[in-house]
Amino acid sequence: MGKVLVTGGGGFIGAALVRELARRGLAVRSFDNGFRKRDAGEADGGGDVEYVAGDIRDVAAVRRAMRGVEAVFHLAYVNGTAFFYSQPRLVLDVAIRGQLAALDCAEEAGVETFVYFSSSEAYQTPTVIPTPEDVPLVVPDVHNPRYSYGGGKILAEMLLLHYARPAGMRRLVIRPHNVYGPAMGFEHVIPQLVERVYRASDGLRLPEASIVLQGTGRETRAFCHVDDAVAGTLLAFEKGADGTVYHLGNPVETTILELLRRIGERCGVRVRPETGEAPAGATPRRCPDVGRLAKLGYVPRVDLVTGLAGTVDWYAAYFRDRAGLPGGRDDKGAH
């Protein structure tokens, strides 16, 4: 097929998707504004990849990026819980203006397939576990800035399905659930726990360490390795039906306590967890029903023990090599 565009191609999932598309022999254009402080093309594995710098809210830049493109994977967004609370205006601005720019320019360019990356945050605290795609999308409290992220995803899904005038364009929504792996950033639970274990154990030199959690630790998540996330995304791209939402994840629940124990074991540190205060709006359980994607042939292949080993090792090495810990850190190239 023709050229494929990945917006947010410098991000964690975006870069992995760019690598796999190029490995499969497709011509890929990666569009990113460097928000994650990642060098253009860094660690992206070469291949037939064109790197274009630009802001997803800049219609002229997006229009140029769309030229000659047959398919779009739209991942450009502001991710990371810390940003939801501290910069909700930016989160919403990128969510809405970015989606409008991407859809308008895709229509102008005659794009055939538009894949939008939404989030499990669009339904926030589900009433059903495992959670199917048809649960209500919810913003529990419009005054809580945390929901700038989930609210933006809801609006972007509706723009794709109801604002866009596709003229034959196939539209797909992917809702990923807790995708993880090496170099995923620092605003998520796995890297945060690795860093806290590293600090509390004096650079992994102490055999034991106490860690205060955000909540009781009995909260659950279902962690999906980035390799499975990319495979599931491309399966939906190849076989998915227009207007369909697909949950992407690994439907195996893990408590935060169990996650912390496994991280400690990998680091060689016995961790003593302590209960802490959970942030307002935190979700007690999350686990996707991936049956719809499974009907297309999706099977997660990377179990948590295997995937966590490589991820924990990457972060432990990162912290060790930046001898500023305990202290500050240089985020360059980490996302």
Side-chain angles (χ1 to χ4, degrees), residues 211-233:
I211 302 294
V212 178
L213 299 172
Q214 292 184 338
T216 65
R218 290 188 290 274
E219 301 83 1
T220 70
R221 295 294 183 266
F223 296 97
C224 176
H225 192 269
V226 65
D227 290 352
D228 285 332
V230 168
T233 297

Side-chain angles (χ1 to χ4, degrees), residues 16 20 98 112 119 121 139 158 164 173 181 193 216 245 274 304 322:
E20 181 60 18
E112 296 179 5
S119 170
E121 292 273 351
V139 175
M158 295 194 70
V173 175
L193 289 178
T216 65
V245 179
E274 299 179 13
L304 185 60
R322 273 74 175 171

